Amino acid sequence: MDTLPPPPPPPPPPIFRSNWKALIKSRKRNWLDLPRDVVLTIFRKLGTIDTLHRAHNVCTTWRNISKDPFLYHTIDMPNIGTDLSMDWYLELLCNRAVDYSSGQVTDINIEHFGTDDVLNHIADSVSHLRRLRLVGCYGVTDEGLCEVAEKFPHLEELDITISSLSDTPLQAIGRHCHQLKTFKFNIEGFRHPHMEYDDEAFAIAKTMPGLRHLQLFGNKMSNAGLLAILDGCPLLESLDIRQCFNLNLVGSLGKRCKEQIKYLRRPYDATDDYPFQAEFHYGSPDEEYPDGISDIDFLSDDDFAYYEFSGGSEFSDYDGYEYDF
């Protein structure tokens, strides 16, 4: 008996029916025919800026997909010196991403363009923010951060690196963000090792008892400030005090750190893994303080005597070290 020929292949899905033969013949892909979940995965890999600036403007279909809240659980906004590096435009994209998130964003990174206005928009739009990172955001002021602190009750991690902020907003954050576990408050470098300034350390010690991880790169605190942190933050597991050259970890304080802190980065430890500039800056005294305050404002009478009569380098006590960071 003659065998029957095999049945014809099933027709393609409806979305491909109009152009499947042309696609096979041309061996080209029609990106508009990709399933929505695949496009979402691709957009997520693109990152926030490329999704909103490029994919968002390709076609109506992609524009609609780019508004999906799934893409904005994490908002990553690095300002990396490209053709998009206009602060006002990055602020526009950031606000748009926050709006598209429908309040679902939990993690925001803003680099070199953040302002009080952006921070206020985030605070008014997001209810469960857990991580906030502000790098080089000189447009964020003490008053602005104090105003929004109470609107971030679920914040668990805060990174403020390279800013003009004082200890005042740190106190506000500590009072309102009771779930804070990780805090980073870093500067680029440390110019005058003999200058001591403990207000930030005291603010942390007084208002952030639940901290597990603390990074104070280049801070000007003294042994008194560090001791206050050890007393006020008993749950602290990791402490990064690299380039905090006012600290002297010999004797009882060094022993206390070793006993209490599981992961300790000491003042002279290597800085290879620190993502920002980690070297001394020899500029004018006013250069580090945008508001016209300089290290001279924090001098004691003894410090004035040091300036007038030492006759040596500002770093005379440290001349034996080589700073190869």
Side-chain angles (χ1 to χ4, degrees), residues 196-203 219-226 247:
E196 296 180 354
Y197 187 69
D198 285 316
D199 287 8
E200 295 150 359
F202 290 155
N219 196 270
K220 298 183 179 182
M221 65 179 165
S222 67
N223 281 13
L226 177 57
L247 297 176

Side-chain angles (χ1 to χ4, degrees), residues 66-256:
S66 72
K67 298 178 182 180
D68 195 306
F70 169 80
L71 296 171
Y72 305 105
H73 293 174
T74 295
I75 295 176
D76 185 17
M77 303 287 297
N79 187 347
I80 55 177
T82 67
D83 57 331
L84 305 180
S85 297
M86 295 176 287
D87 289 357
W88 67 268
Y89 185 60
L90 290 173
E91 290 177 25
L92 174 68
L93 293 184
C94 186
N95 289 339
R96 184 178 295 171
V98 170
D99 293 339
Y100 289 167
S101 77
S102 299
Q104 297 181 32
V105 60
T106 60
D107 186 338
I108 298 180
N109 172 48
I110 298 174
E111 299 182 18
H112 305 292
F113 72 89
T115 63
D116 287 346
D117 289 340
V118 171
L119 209 54
N120 269 297
H121 186 70
I122 293 170
D124 292 338
S125 306
V126 178
S127 57
H128 287 82
L129 190 67
R130 299 188 182 279
R131 180 179 181 269
L132 177 62
R133 184 170 184 261
L134 303 172
V135 175
C137 295
Y138 292 106
V140 174
T141 66
D142 283 0
E143 295 77 10
L145 194 51
C146 286
E147 183 179 341
V148 301
E150 63 181 344
K151 299 180 181 180
F152 295 138
H154 301 285
L155 197 65
E156 297 177 2
E157 181 176 342
L158 176 61
D159 181 346
I160 301 174
T161 294
I162 313 173
S163 73
S164 57
L165 298 175
S166 72
D167 61 289
T168 302
L170 305 193
Q171 298 178 44
I173 291 163
R175 287 195 301 267
H176 296 291
C177 304
H178 301 299
Q179 297 188 36
L180 194 66
K181 302 294 188 295
T182 299
F183 183 50
K184 300 179 181 181
F185 192 70
N186 305 315
I187 63 176
E188 278 188 287
F190 192 92
R191 194 171 64 235
H192 299 302
H194 55 279
M195 300 295 178
E196 296 180 354
Y197 187 69
D198 285 316
D199 287 8
E200 295 150 359
F202 290 155
I204 293 168
K206 184 178 180 181
T207 65
M208 302 181 187
L211 284 183
R212 266 69 168 182
H213 311 283
L214 177 62
Q215 184 179 66
L216 296 172
F217 193 99
N219 196 270
K220 298 183 179 182
M221 65 179 165
S222 67
N223 281 13
L226 177 57
L227 186 59
I229 288 174
L230 295 175
D231 289 339
C233 305
L235 303 178
L236 207 58
E237 299 174 11
S238 68
L239 176 62
D240 187 347
I241 47 176
R242 285 175 292 174
Q243 294 203 359
C244 296
F245 294 127
N246 285 328
L247 297 176
N248 185 356
L249 300 187
V250 299
S252 59
L253 183 59
K255 182 179 179 182
R256 172 84 180 273

Side-chain angles (χ1 to χ4, degrees), residues 243-316:
Q243 294 203 359
C244 296
F245 294 127
N246 285 328
L247 297 176
N248 185 356
L249 300 187
V250 299
S252 59
L253 183 59
K255 182 179 179 182
R256 172 84 180 273
C257 288
K258 185 175 181 181
E259 292 174 348
Q260 182 172 339
I261 307 300
K262 189 174 182 180
Y263 303 104
L264 177 65
R265 307 296 294 274
R266 297 171 177 271
Y268 288 95
D269 283 354
T271 60
D272 296 345
D273 61 340
Y274 186 67
F276 305 102
Q277 181 179 344
E279 60 186 28
F280 289 117
H281 172 61
Y282 298 91
S284 66
D286 293 331
E287 196 169 301
E288 191 174 327
Y289 298 94
D291 295 328
I293 302 172
S294 75
D295 285 324
I296 203 74
D297 294 296
F298 301 111
L299 287 176
S300 66
D301 292 339
D302 291 339
D303 289 323
F304 276 112
Y306 173 89
Y307 262 85
E308 290 185 42
F309 303 114
S310 67
S313 166
E314 293 175 345
F315 296 96
S316 58

Side-chain angles (χ1 to χ4, degrees), residues 9-10 12 16 19-30:
F16 292 105
N19 59 358
W20 69 279
K21 289 183 179 179
L23 285 175
I24 293 175
K25 185 176 181 180
S26 65
R27 297 184 178 181
K28 293 181 180 179
R29 294 177 178 175
N30 188 341

